Amino acid sequence: MSRADVNRREFLKIAAGASAALAMPAPGHTAASSKMIGIQVGAVSFVDEGTETVLDVLQERASVNTLFLAVFTYGRGIAGRQIPGQPLPDHGKQEYDLNFHGGNFATPHAQFYKNTVLKDTRAPDHGDLDILAEVLPAAKKRNMRVVCWLEDVFRTDLPNIQKLQERDLYGRNAETLCVNNPDYRNFLTGLVEDYTRSYDIDGIMWGSERQGALADSLEATHDVPPVDPGQVTCFCEFCQSKAKQRGINAERARQGFWELEKFVRSARSGNRPVDGYYVQFWRLLLQYPELVAWEMLWTDSLRETYAAIYKTAKTAKPAVPVGWHIWHNNSFNPIYRAEQDLHELSNYSDFIKVVMYNNCGGERMALYADNIGSTLYGDLSKQGLIDFNYAVMDLRNAATIRFLTPAFRLITCSARQSARWRGSPARTRSSGQASISIFRPSPITANPRRKALKKQFSRPFALARQACFYLASTPRCGSPTSAALEKRFAS
């Protein structure tokens, strides 16, 4: 079968057969019956089209047996309709949700939120609808699993929210919440305990698409517009207290970030340091090692939050699997990748979901290169930076491509197994259960800058697109060389 002959349904069947990741076992299921095909879905889909209709479509068209149900978020990315201005899909209401609010789409039970000032989080978008109470019975009848999908995204107009917010380099409130703040930590553990004790769910997944101040200062992300180096976080009282306990000089860290801010602003203006961007960055790092210490302080704090969520869920219901949504920055940012240590995560994880939307290998990687190419890697051409990124992220290695890059799909796998699999050939993974989730591709916006970036970085788009066909056609082969891959792609 040629690549041109592969339609969407055939691709799903091929990809399901080619995947070699271990699936997350559902409570009461044996390993043999735990093969999982999942999809992220928000409450609005069931409101617009009806619960039974949605489940019919997912089962009949994609053999979905696991719902990653967006039950808590104030971000419309996983719980809203189509992005305003983009073409509407061929199903559901033909309108945008311009007044999206978000919050808890289930019913909060007050006894679980006694130790936090963040209490009033019920989502008003769909009236009195409790999406878990609505979907769980219908899903159970079909032997479909329901995993609660929680996101670390909040509004700035919630009661008491300012008490939980991070503080930036100048002490100003940020929109994000501090994971070292007891009120936020207690809210998250209360939310998880509420879901695990109040509903017959099949899993918990939490996601935090954030990173520390060092990576944000360098614009090591695909954000548009780029991150303001003066608004990086977090420098609140709780973070400073924790830094002191770890022997980190908070004032020295601030001084280092102020100097880094000057470096970034000057670099954006095209003012090349005498010794170049990369050397000047290392000069700052050597002078202020607190920059790295503060980054690791933030990362360790996030890991402690993972551990707290995991312990809470397991205490309430030991059989419920708990795992994490790993931000797509993992695909193209070496700093963030270094922080996502699967061996460490395995200590408090039953599964991980690495974000691998199709645009991670194209639009978002291109925007990342455009951002960090004006700071840390300002000495490189954009093509040179892309080539460097492919080398350090090992994106041309066949095993990595099979595991990370196919479009329209992400892999959920056992974190413990992943830690043992790293670097091993694909044929050693063949005993694992398939674990696939299918997503609608995100279209490139009409933004002229993004269109220009897409044209400039057409090769990453092509590689990401071709990689999915490579995965589908070679499910159990070893790891061919980069040259062999190039030859295959060229053909």
Side-chain angles (χ1 to χ4, degrees), residues 143-422:
N143 293 318
M144 297 178 77
R145 289 168 281 190
V146 177
V147 177
C148 289
W149 175 192
L150 327 176
E151 191 179 33
D152 180 29
V153 178
F154 290 81
R155 298 173 64 93
T156 59
D157 58 357
L158 301 176
N160 296 316
I161 195 68
Q162 70 282 354
K163 297 179 181 179
L164 286 70
Q165 290 174 333
E166 291 186 308
R167 301 295 189 271
D168 71 12
L169 186 55
Y170 295 92
R172 299 168 298 196
N173 281 41
E175 293 185 2
T176 47
L177 306 191
C178 179
V179 292
N180 283 321
N181 187 308
D183 267 302
Y184 185 37
R185 184 76 62 84
N186 291 340
F187 172 77
L188 288 176
T189 55
L191 185 67
V192 168
E193 186 175 10
D194 191 355
Y195 289 142
T196 50
R197 291 192 185 278
S198 303
Y199 300 92
D200 186 20
I201 61 173
D202 300 302
I204 291 283
M205 181 175 73
W206 184 65
S208 181
E209 295 193 345
R210 294 196 275 151
Q211 58 190 352
L214 177 62
D216 270 346
S217 292
L218 294 171
E219 300 173 19
T221 180
H222 72 287
D223 289 347
V224 178
V227 177
D228 184 334
Q231 294 182 342
V232 295
T233 57
C234 177
F235 299 89
C236 74
E237 58 177 306
F238 302 105
C239 290
Q240 292 190 54
S241 175
K242 190 169 186 176
K244 184 177 181 180
Q245 294 171 11
R246 294 174 62 142
I248 303 172
N249 188 320
E251 189 55 35
R252 284 276 302 168
R254 281 181 180 274
Q255 291 173 4
F257 279 104
W258 285 327
E259 292 300 318
L260 185 59
E261 179 187 6
K262 294 176 185 177
F263 165 78
V264 170
R265 295 193 187 282
S266 179
R268 279 187 193 168
S269 301
N271 299 320
R272 185 179 186 274
V274 173
D275 293 318
Y277 299 97
Y278 192 72
V279 169
Q280 182 60 27
F281 167 72
W282 268 98
R283 187 167 287 150
L284 285 173
L285 212 57
L286 293 170
Q287 185 177 0
Y288 296 100
E290 292 83 3
L291 291 168
V292 174
W294 209 266
E295 178 77 7
M296 203 59 213
L297 171 71
W298 195 96
T299 298
D300 282 343
S301 300
L302 179 63
R303 291 174 177 176
E304 290 171 10
T305 305
Y306 286 157
I309 291 173
Y310 186 83
K311 180 180 179 180
T312 299
K314 293 298 185 179
T315 300
K317 195 172 294 183
V320 169
V322 181
W324 321 111
H325 162 102
I326 304 297
W327 192 19
H328 48 255
N329 239 25
N330 192 66
S331 301
F332 43 73
N333 176 3
I335 300 174
Y336 186 80
R337 173 77 74 87
E339 295 170 347
Q340 306 313 303
D341 185 340
L342 297 184
H343 180 74
E344 169 62 27
L345 291 179
S346 71
N347 293 319
Y348 33 81
S349 309
D350 294 315
F351 67 96
I352 57 171
K353 185 202 74 173
V354 181
V355 178
M356 277 286 96
Y357 309 139
N358 58 301
N359 56 7
C360 293
E363 173 193 5
R364 290 179 179 176
M365 182 174 179
L367 288 167
Y368 161 81
D370 192 48
N371 285 342
I372 202 167
S374 65
T375 60
L376 176 60
Y377 300 123
D379 301 301
L380 297 175
S381 67
K382 293 300 171 61
Q383 187 58 54
L385 174 53
I386 288 293
D387 291 340
F388 169 76
N389 225 60
Y390 276 130
V392 299
M393 299 299 281
D394 199 24
L395 292 181
R396 293 183 183 180
N397 175 275
T400 306
I401 290 173
R402 276 195 299 276
F403 189 64
L404 291 178
T405 57
F408 306 103
R409 156 188 131 107
L410 66 93
I411 293 178
T412 306
C413 71
S414 161
R416 292 179 176 82
Q417 290 296 325
S418 297
R420 293 198 289 268
W421 284 348
R422 286 184 293 179

Side-chain angles (χ1 to χ4, degrees), residues 104 106-114 130 190 194-195 197-199:
N104 191 340
T107 300
H109 298 86
Q111 64 268 33
F112 298 108
Y113 307 95
K114 294 178 180 178
D130 181 327
D194 191 355
Y195 289 142
R197 291 192 185 278
S198 303
Y199 300 92

Side-chain angles (χ1 to χ4, degrees), residues 75-95:
R76 62 182 315 285
I78 68 170
R81 297 194 185 100
Q82 174 63 291
I83 299 170
Q86 294 298 326
L88 291 165
D90 59 356
H91 59 92
K93 287 189 177 180
Q94 298 300 292
E95 62 185 58

Side-chain angles (χ1 to χ4, degrees), residues 20-80:
L22 282 178
M24 174 187 63
H29 286 66
T30 64
S33 66
S34 63
K35 181 177 291 188
M36 183 239 289
I37 300 177
I39 189 168
Q40 291 181 179
V41 59
V44 69
S45 295
F46 299 96
V47 172
D48 286 353
E49 303 180 62
T51 300
E52 296 297 336
T53 299
V54 170
L55 298 182
D56 282 343
V57 169
L58 295 180
Q59 281 194 312
E60 294 171 7
R61 298 188 184 181
S63 299
V64 168
N65 59 24
T66 305
L67 306 176
F68 288 85
L69 186 60
V71 292
F72 186 90
T73 181
Y74 285 96
R76 62 182 315 285
I78 68 170

